[in-house]
Amino acid sequence: MECLIGIQFKDFVLVAADMTTANSIMVMKNDEQKIHKMSDKLVMAVSGESGDTTQFCEFIGKNLQLYKMRNGYELSPKAAAWLTRRNLANYLRSRTPYFVNLLMAGYDDITGPELYFIDYLASCIKVPYAAHGYGGFFSISILDRYHKYDSTEEEAYMLMKKCVREIHKRLIVNLPNFKVQKISKDGIEELEPITAKTLVLEEH
């Protein structure tokens, strides 16, 4: 029932994640942070079992920091994605697998912005846009139609709003708040959250 959306553009990547924590038919909170900072230009958006998401994010984050301390430089987004995929694959073959779905978004000074789709079965692929959860059923078709590689930040944010609006309109599960972050050469920037309230006000 959770939803993660990632879109890569020419100069930056946008990542959005719903902020709802639910258990069965009960909503626990509407301000959960599902996008985690891994390094200065790398974030991981995660959904899945609540304990697994927290533990796995901390595990990967600490390993990336350890690598930087030992070697004096950070892993590229591609290397970080494959490190994450390898660990997920190893745990999948153990008695304590992690049930997590991930989007890793980062900016590499040589190759530019990158977005990686990783699921709980440890498949990993570089993509121009991706989504996890039921919300992906509605947003992927919108991204397929309207995604433009050279969009401005404003156009990119409007595209993300279009996806969230469709999720609010069509998904029976209530996901009112979406946190949005931009990752570019300048680092990680927090954008204005997309909420049901702001979308309704815009329509009127």
Side-chain angles (χ1 to χ4, degrees), residues 69-128:
M69 288 166 65
R70 282 179 173 171
N71 298 280
Y73 61 91
E74 293 178 343
L75 281 173
S76 67
K78 182 178 181 179
W82 285 103
L83 171 76
T84 304
R85 185 237 168 239
R86 180 59 193 246
N87 277 285
L88 205 53
N90 287 342
Y91 278 108
L92 187 66
R93 289 156 179 80
S94 72
R95 292 187 179 184
T96 55
Y98 285 104
F99 185 76
V100 292
N101 293 305
L102 313 163
L103 292 178
M104 291 197 81
Y107 189 92
D108 186 274
D109 293 330
I110 298 169
T111 58
E114 295 180 349
L115 176 67
Y116 291 89
F117 174 97
I118 307 170
D119 70 7
Y120 73 101
L121 294 173
S123 59
C124 177
I125 187 168
K126 185 177 184 292
V127 288

Side-chain angles (χ1 to χ4, degrees), residues 9 11 16 26 31 44 95 109 117 135 161-162:
F9 298 95
D11 300 317
M26 291 181 291
D31 58 354
M44 178 193 285
R95 292 187 179 184
D109 293 330
F117 174 97
K161 270 189 177 178
K162 195 185 285 281

